[in-house]
Amino acid sequence: MKLSTRCRYGIHAMFDLAQNAGAGPQTIRAIAERQLVPEQYLEQIIGVLRREGLVKSVRGAQGGYMLAWEPSEISIGQLIRLLEGPVVMADCIVDADACVRSGQCPSRLVWERLTDCINKVVDSVTLQDMLADQERLMER
Amino acid sequence: MKLSTRCRYGIHAMFDLAQNAGAGPQTIRAIAERQLVPEQYLEQIIGVLRREGLVKSVRGAQGGYMLAWEPSEISIGQLIRLLEGPVVMADCIVDADACVRSGQCPSRLVWERLTDCINKVVDSVTLQDMLADQERLMER
DNA sequence: TCATACCCGAGGAAACTACTCGGGATTGCA
DNA sequence: TGCAATCCCGAGTAGTTTCCTCGGGTATGA
């Protein structure tokens, strides 16, 4: 029940882009250094986010990456689902055929409740919220 | 973000024991057949639960396993933590040294909220609750 | 034109998962 | 007393996933 580092790296990178929104395109190298993430691995991760339309890239010299949306429009839930796969406790939640019992399995109810709860939390937090949290932390 | 089959098998086995509480010790073979779980794998899983004191075993012929507590005293959260490891989204939640930033990392707040939410849900459901759910499902 | 970036597929070591195997230790019962 | 039924346990293993690295291609600003 832990997030993969791949997913955490991705979220850190997106937070970094949110912090530097408006400061022009950010290079992989710069993000990697600030966020302490292996450069080439980050390249791979951010590639996923680009293909899904969450970040824009500028190729060539002076190129780099930027958020494709406002920080308030990007939720942690979106990022987790992209980088970690669907947030689901057991296959039977999405695919009724995955379990022979499906209809009459009592643990299914638990998984459903849990899945709902997790999705509600992660979808309610945006990059904007994290920026605000960050400011509050810095004040002290 | 999916539970391992190991964990699901363990929960199914415990639910099986709850259903058969009072019917004498249940053999690995019987549980495995009812719950559609590989026998030798289940043996391994139930061994963990025994060492942690959640099930009692009776050795020798006519032996088997029984719950060590009432179904109402065993929560899904306990089982998940035993079989899946601590329910924690990032190491920094349990171990401050795991992350250099720790104090000033904004994603930490998200992980904390999420961890709390998940634990609250899984700790609020006991085997007894699952038995009740099961009965309601059977009525239809 | 060239240095600076993004872009991309392949590969690989390490860890983890989901098992199986073989054999030992206990115990009820004929 | 012996034997079959059970639990008990460590080791092994095939397959998958994770977390990376490598090497080279492509676009672009100066």
Side-chain angles (χ1 to χ4, degrees):
Chain A
M1 291 281 287
K2 243 174 50 181
L3 287 175
S4 60
T5 67
R6 163 201 182 82
C7 185
R8 274 182 292 117
Y9 286 170
I11 292 174
H12 283 154
M14 289 296 276
F15 179 70
D16 188 277
L17 288 181
Q19 283 187 300
N20 292 286
Q26 302 294 314
T27 65
I28 288 282
R29 170 163 300 153
I31 303 170
E33 269 170 14
R34 285 192 295 258
Q35 300 297 324
L36 306 173
V37 170
E39 204 175 313
Q40 288 172 298
Y41 192 29
L42 180 58
E43 198 170 0
Q44 211 177 89
I45 296 169
I46 229 169
V48 175
L49 299 169
R50 183 184 52 83
R51 261 165 256 131
E52 298 294 331
L54 286 171
V55 303
K56 283 182 297 190
S57 66
V58 179
R59 302 188 65 170
Q62 273 66 49
Y65 295 91
M66 297 172 287
L67 291 187
W69 309 91
E70 294 298 312
S72 62
E73 294 173 313
I74 300 173
S75 73
I76 304 302
Q78 278 178 277
L79 302 179
I80 293 182
R81 274 187 290 271
L82 277 180
L83 296 170
E84 195 79 31
V87 177
V88 142
M89 289 297 100
D91 285 332
C92 62
I93 304 293
V94 274
D95 174 17
D97 297 337
C99 177
V100 208
R101 297 191 196 67
S102 78
Q104 23 147 354
C105 173
S107 48
R108 190 192 157 90
L109 287 170
V110 188
W111 306 151
E112 272 173 5
R113 254 193 277 177
L114 194 50
T115 301
D116 285 352
C117 148
I118 294 175
N119 279 299
K120 213 167 281 171
V121 172
V122 297
D123 284 334
S124 75
V125 180
T126 67
L127 290 177
Q128 181 68 55
D129 297 325
M130 284 175 62
L131 286 174
D133 286 345
Q134 177 75 339
E135 286 210 355
R136 225 173 306 131
L137 284 173
M138 298 300 276
E139 274 170 20
R140 290 176 200 161
Chain B
M1 290 280 287
K2 245 174 47 183
L3 287 175
S4 60
T5 67
R6 165 201 180 82
C7 185
R8 275 183 290 118
Y9 285 171
I11 291 175
H12 283 155
M14 290 297 276
F15 179 69
D16 189 277
L17 288 180
Q19 282 186 302
N20 293 286
Q26 302 293 315
T27 65
I28 288 282
R29 170 163 300 153
I31 303 170
E33 269 170 13
R34 284 192 295 259
Q35 302 297 324
L36 307 174
V37 171
E39 204 175 313
Q40 288 172 299
Y41 193 28
L42 180 58
E43 198 171 0
Q44 211 179 90
I45 296 169
I46 228 169
V48 175
L49 299 169
R50 183 183 52 83
R51 263 166 254 130
E52 298 293 332
L54 286 172
V55 304
K56 283 182 298 189
S57 66
V58 179
R59 303 187 64 170
Q62 273 65 51
Y65 295 91
M66 297 172 287
L67 292 186
W69 309 90
E70 293 299 312
S72 62
E73 294 172 314
I74 300 174
S75 74
I76 304 301
Q78 279 179 276
L79 302 178
I80 292 182
R81 276 187 289 270
L82 278 180
L83 296 170
E84 196 79 32
V87 177
V88 143
M89 289 298 100
D91 285 331
C92 63
I93 304 293
V94 273
D95 174 16
D97 297 337
C99 176
V100 208
R101 299 190 196 68
S102 82
Q104 24 145 352
C105 173
S107 49
R108 190 191 158 90
L109 287 170
V110 187
W111 306 151
E112 272 174 4
R113 254 193 276 178
L114 194 51
T115 302
D116 285 352
C117 148
I118 295 175
N119 279 300
K120 214 168 281 173
V121 171
V122 297
D123 284 335
S124 75
V125 180
T126 67
L127 290 177
Q128 181 69 56
D129 297 325
M130 285 175 63
L131 286 174
D133 286 345
Q134 175 77 338
E135 285 211 357
R136 226 172 307 131
L137 285 173
M138 298 300 276
E139 274 169 20
R140 290 176 200 162

